[in-house]
Amino acid sequence: RELGIAAGVPVVGFVGRLTQIKQPERFIDVAIELSRDHPDAIFVIAGDGELMDSVRSRALPLGSRAMFLGWRRDVETVYRACDLLMITSDNEGMPVSLIAASSVGTPCVTTRVGSAPEVVLHGDTGFVTEPDVGELARAAARLLDDPELRCTMGIAAGEHAARRFGAPRLVADIAGLYERIVSERGLV
């Protein structure tokens, strides 16, 4: 409701900088392909960047089904509104948007780049594909077409994100680092 989307409407999201490396135009190409079999789906783009005009132009065939939200401080609202989050990047380090979406129980579809496969466990918490429009669209369609799968993967994504990337894990890693340094330097 906060984004002006009716309940029950499928929402596919993209959150990130609109730059060449993130390939937001590929996201639009996937959205156009998905829209053929999912005419009620909404495609939400949260972010800004030098490709904004190009992405808006490419999204014209989607009409009002392409929602450009710009930068948002309440990005968790976007993640929660999405039935799935998609990353279409050519390169990533540790994709924070995948971690954040997973942490609120949103399954993800991502390209096989950087550490994305550590965040999205293929077939368990979402899907990892090659950076191919057809593959990305097929993976997203599986989630849109199967609410039970989407729910199961969303729950698994939240559990995986908490276990692998949550605060307790971070605190334990930092404590372990300090303990190792103290031990190695004989400071005990």
Side-chain angles (χ1 to χ4, degrees), residues 77-150:
T77 301
V78 177
Y79 294 131
R80 289 181 195 278
C82 291
D83 290 287
L84 70 103
L85 183 83
M86 184 176 290
I87 285 187
T88 53
S89 298
D90 280 339
N91 191 16
E92 284 286 340
M94 179 58 73
V96 175
S97 61
L98 292 178
I99 295 170
S102 295
S103 72
V104 299
T106 301
C108 300
V109 173
T110 181
T111 50
R112 184 175 287 108
V113 293
S115 295
E118 293 177 42
V119 181
V120 178
L121 305 179
H122 182 74
D124 292 329
T125 67
F127 294 108
V128 181
T129 79
E130 294 305 316
D132 175 79
V133 170
E135 273 192 64
L136 288 159
R138 284 187 294 279
R142 281 187 66 192
L143 287 167
L144 290 177
D145 292 339
D146 190 340
E148 187 175 321
L149 176 65
R150 198 169 58 239

Side-chain angles (χ1 to χ4, degrees), residues 102 105 121 124-126 150-163:
S102 295
L121 305 179
D124 292 329
T125 67
R150 198 169 58 239
C151 181
T152 300
M153 284 188 167
I155 290 168
E159 292 170 352
H160 175 66
R163 189 173 50 256

Side-chain angles (χ1 to χ4, degrees), residues 8-10 35 37-42 65:
V9 173
S35 70
D37 292 328
H38 300 88
D40 55 339
I42 299 290
R65 293 177 31 213

Side-chain angles (χ1 to χ4, degrees), residues 32-101:
I32 290 169
E33 188 163 321
L34 275 172
S35 70
R36 293 182 186 117
D37 292 328
H38 300 88
D40 55 339
I42 299 290
F43 302 93
V44 172
I45 299 98
D48 203 349
E50 66 266 12
L51 293 181
M52 176 60 89
D53 291 340
S54 174
V55 173
R56 280 185 184 276
S57 176
R58 197 176 202 115
L60 287 174
L62 295 168
S64 62
R65 293 177 31 213
M67 292 181 66
F68 289 87
L69 305 177
W71 290 114
R72 293 186 64 106
R73 290 184 180 271
D74 66 336
V75 74
E76 70 281 355
T77 301
V78 177
Y79 294 131
R80 289 181 195 278
C82 291
D83 290 287
L84 70 103
L85 183 83
M86 184 176 290
I87 285 187
T88 53
S89 298
D90 280 339
N91 191 16
E92 284 286 340
M94 179 58 73
V96 175
S97 61
L98 292 178
I99 295 170

